[in-house]
Amino acid sequence: MISSCIDQTQLQNNIITMSNRSITSFLDTDLYKITMQAAIHENFPNSDVEYKFNNRSFNDKKFSLEAINWLEEQFKLLSTLRFTQNEVDYLKNTVAFLPKNYIDFISNDFKLTPDNEIFLTKTLSSDPSFKGLYDIDIKIKGKWEVTILYEIYILALVSESYFKFVDTDWDYEGQLEQSYNKATTLFQNGIVFSEFGTRRRRDFKTHDIIINGILKARDSNPDKFGTLLLGTSNVLLAKNYNLKPIGTVAHEWFMGIASLKKNYSNSNKIAMEYWISTFGPQNAGLALTDTFGTDIFLKNFEKPLTDYYIGVRQDSGDPKTYTDKISNHYLNKLGYAPYSKSICYSDSLNVEKCIDLNQYCYEKKLKCNFGIGTYFTNDFKTKSSDYKIKSEPLNIVIKIMRIDNEFCIKISDNIGKNMGDENTILKVKKELGYVDNEWVGVSEEHRWKDQ
């Protein structure tokens, strides 16, 4: 009788925990976190890492104590997540190139231990205009094959906490229609795109609404629009709505391997070769070019690597200058046929930019598609302005900072996106002959202000 009572209490506690949890599934993340975790488990299972949170909009985006307390609670609740058998089966069937060792790894009661891996500190703002508000600092430490999953969950939770407790002058009014209208315009202009909005979404409810709006637009003319929507980077929403999960690799893979191998001149090539050996050349996907600057990347991007990768992803700098470089590299230097390779644009996009870049890329004889994120999942107006004034998203990132006690750095096509130890950055710039670039097309602090 006592045992039965304990079981009932445990069951009730589990229900309460589930209802309080904002991140309810390990799959509520971007696909590249899953694929990179698999590649790390296969190749670098013993490496230790440290990540750091960066609030690029810190000058006017601070956090209340209530928001911070909620965040700390949500971080703890991440320890209750497990991969269910249904989720594992979904990954095995949908992302069939994941190695069996990885599937076994996540099936064997895989869990996070945030009490030992997430370190959040707060500092009271000295600016009188932010009285009672705090800057936050977040570090993540632990095994690379485990802690790699934290990035998307933490970013999504930080964004949600800000708009749940600090900027509350908004609601969901018009979000479905807005998403539908954006997607319809994209479809009508022949734009091929994926939804990429997990990390800076307002919350999961918004994300779900946006997916429904996009699907409503697609289904309004399935014969014409059906092939233009590639899918979503969010694995859970892909599963829920029978969409294709989209994504391959992020800067973290190149940053970590460059530090481990201490070979920045060839780090892009080494990282791509590890990727191909793990998943097979037929699953190489898109190559991310700007971890140490695209010019440096292209020196390593030769055949047969260029045969395996279907194209490249643009994530920083001037997208038209980038397009010129990629077109010249594929068509003139390597001799590929027109429209045989592609660019995926994924940097601060909106409808107008997509239409413009789609035409420009076509003129340069490349195929293209677009990964559209924050413009979909965090595009709100304030209620008090009768939905006329922007409720601006946070520009937040988490980057790997150390691996096995070595600094990790990122040297972007846009100096505003550089990250890491300054002395290491200077040393690597000198080694690579890297020249800084600053693209005035966006402000890192107010990246989506005018969208």
Side-chain angles (χ1 to χ4, degrees):
M1 190 73 176
I2 294 175
S3 175
S4 174
C5 180
I6 291 172
D7 290 343
Q8 288 298 316
T9 302
Q10 243 176 0
L11 178 62
Q12 186 63 31
N13 287 340
N14 288 343
I15 293 171
I16 292 170
T17 298
M18 287 290 289
S19 67
N20 290 339
R21 207 166 64 186
S22 183
I23 303 293
T24 61
S25 167
F26 272 134
L27 298 190
D28 189 12
T29 190
D30 288 337
L31 178 64
Y32 72 74
K33 290 271 97 173
I34 301 291
T35 53
M36 286 199 301
Q37 185 185 37
I40 292 161
H41 179 68
E42 288 290 297
N43 297 287
F44 308 105
N46 298 316
S47 285
D48 295 303
V49 294
E50 178 180 332
Y51 299 85
K52 189 178 187 319
F53 167 82
N54 183 15
N55 179 9
R56 291 171 173 161
S57 48
F58 73 95
N59 283 331
D60 58 0
K61 299 289 190 295
K62 313 288 184 180
F63 294 81
S64 66
L65 193 58
E66 190 177 16
I68 294 169
N69 290 339
W70 181 86
L71 258 186
E72 291 178 329
E73 177 189 5
Q74 292 301 316
F75 291 171
K76 288 180 182 296
L77 289 173
L78 292 174
S79 67
T80 65
L81 294 174
R82 298 293 185 276
F83 281 98
T84 67
Q85 188 59 52
N86 178 266
E87 291 171 341
V88 171
D89 289 343
Y90 171 79
L91 290 175
K92 286 168 65 176
N93 294 328
T94 309
V95 195
F97 56 82
L98 291 172
K100 182 182 183 301
N101 288 341
Y102 173 69
I103 295 297
D104 293 342
F105 172 61
I106 62 173
S107 300
N108 189 23
D109 197 37
F110 174 82
K111 61 185 176 182
L112 302 172
T113 54
D115 283 347
N116 301 321
E117 293 162 345
I118 303 178
F119 304 88
L120 185 152
T121 57
K122 60 183 184 293
T123 305
L124 189 63
S125 176
S126 58
D127 188 333
S129 60
F130 294 105
K131 186 177 181 181
L133 297 181
Y134 295 80
D135 291 305
I136 60 172
D137 181 72
I138 303 169
K139 289 186 173 63
I140 305 155
K141 299 179 182 180
K143 288 295 179 188
W144 197 12
E145 67 174 6
V146 175
T147 56
I148 186 171
L149 289 188
Y150 277 119
E151 176 191 5
I152 304 299
Y153 307 138
I154 290 177
L155 290 174
L157 288 169
V158 168
S159 180
E160 183 175 352
S161 73
Y162 182 81
F163 291 105
K164 189 179 183 71
F165 297 104
V166 183
D167 178 358
T168 60
D169 187 13
W170 61 276
D171 59 24
Y172 302 101
E173 184 71 28
Q175 282 294 307
L176 181 68
E177 293 78 9
Q178 179 174 265
S179 175
Y180 169 82
N181 290 334
K182 289 175 181 178
T184 298
T185 303
L186 290 166
F187 290 142
Q188 288 173 340
N189 283 274
I191 305 299
V192 180
F193 72 95
S194 306
E195 184 279 315
F196 271 20
T198 307
R199 63 179 53 224
R200 299 185 188 100
R201 69 191 183 195
R202 192 140 296 205
D203 57 15
F204 183 81
K205 180 177 178 178
T206 301
H207 205 166
D208 193 69
I209 291 170
I210 264 58
I211 293 294
N212 275 278
I214 294 171
L215 291 177
K216 181 182 175 184
R218 182 198 66 180
D219 295 343
S220 68
N221 193 339
D223 291 338
K224 184 178 179 181
F225 300 157
T227 60
L228 298 178
L229 178 63
L230 296 179
T232 172
S233 63
N234 186 282
V235 185
L236 180 61
L237 288 168
K239 179 177 182 290
N240 290 349
Y241 289 101
N242 195 29
L243 290 166
K244 183 178 180 180
I246 298 293
T248 49
V249 70
H251 300 102
E252 175 182 353
W253 179 250
F254 297 91
M255 294 167 70
I257 289 176
S259 294
L260 286 173
K261 300 302 177 182
K262 300 179 178 62
N263 183 349
Y264 282 88
S265 296
N266 295 300
S267 59
N268 290 299
K269 181 180 180 181
I270 294 167
M272 286 187 282
E273 287 174 342
Y274 266 109
W275 194 262
I276 288 166
S277 70
T278 303
F279 300 119
Q282 70 277 17
N283 298 306
L286 292 166
L288 182 60
T289 66
D290 68 330
T291 309
F292 307 111
T294 294
D295 291 337
I296 305 301
F297 176 90
L298 293 179
K299 293 178 181 179
N300 281 168
F301 199 45
E302 303 283 347
K303 294 181 178 184
L305 289 174
T306 50
D307 293 333
Y308 303 150
Y309 284 87
I310 62 174
V312 297
R313 179 160 75 89
Q314 188 267 339
D315 195 53
S316 64
D318 184 336
K320 290 186 177 178
T321 299
Y322 179 91
T323 304
D324 294 343
K325 289 179 182 180
I326 298 301
S327 176
N328 180 66
H329 189 73
Y330 274 135
L331 276 65
N332 299 331
K333 183 177 180 181
L334 300 180
Y336 284 95
Y339 307 108
S340 62
K341 292 295 182 179
S342 66
I343 297 177
C344 174
Y345 299 94
S346 62
D347 186 25
S348 303
L349 298 170
N350 59 26
V351 168
E352 292 75 20
K353 288 180 183 178
C354 290
I355 294 171
D356 181 44
L357 287 172
N358 192 61
Q359 178 62 34
Y360 192 83
C361 197
Y362 179 81
E363 292 170 357
K364 297 296 178 178
K365 296 181 170 50
L366 295 169
K367 295 184 293 185
C368 69
N369 62 80
F370 299 83
I372 307 171
T374 307
Y375 178 64
F376 268 126
T377 60
N378 206 332
D379 184 15
F380 285 78
K381 302 292 194 300
T382 58
K383 287 192 298 182
S384 60
S385 70
D386 196 25
Y387 305 101
K388 294 176 182 176
I389 298 175
K390 184 85 168 181
S391 174
E392 191 179 354
L394 282 73
N395 187 3
I396 49 178
V397 296
I398 289 174
K399 293 296 180 186
I400 186 172
M401 302 301 289
R402 287 180 182 266
I403 185 164
D404 293 345
N405 293 318
E406 295 288 335
F407 287 116
C408 298
I409 63 165
K410 178 180 177 232
I411 308 175
S412 171
D413 286 345
N414 179 4
I415 193 172
K417 286 190 168 187
N418 289 358
M419 286 195 72
D421 175 69
E422 287 298 326
N423 288 332
T424 305
I425 288 176
L426 290 173
K427 177 183 174 183
V428 173
K429 282 180 180 178
K430 184 176 180 180
E431 177 186 336
L432 299 177
Y434 176 89
V435 178
D436 280 320
N437 294 286
E438 184 168 9
W439 184 46
V440 296
V442 294
S443 158
E444 288 304 325
E445 188 173 346
H446 300 287
R447 182 164 274 263
W448 298 278
K449 185 174 183 179
D450 298 322
Q451 290 190 3

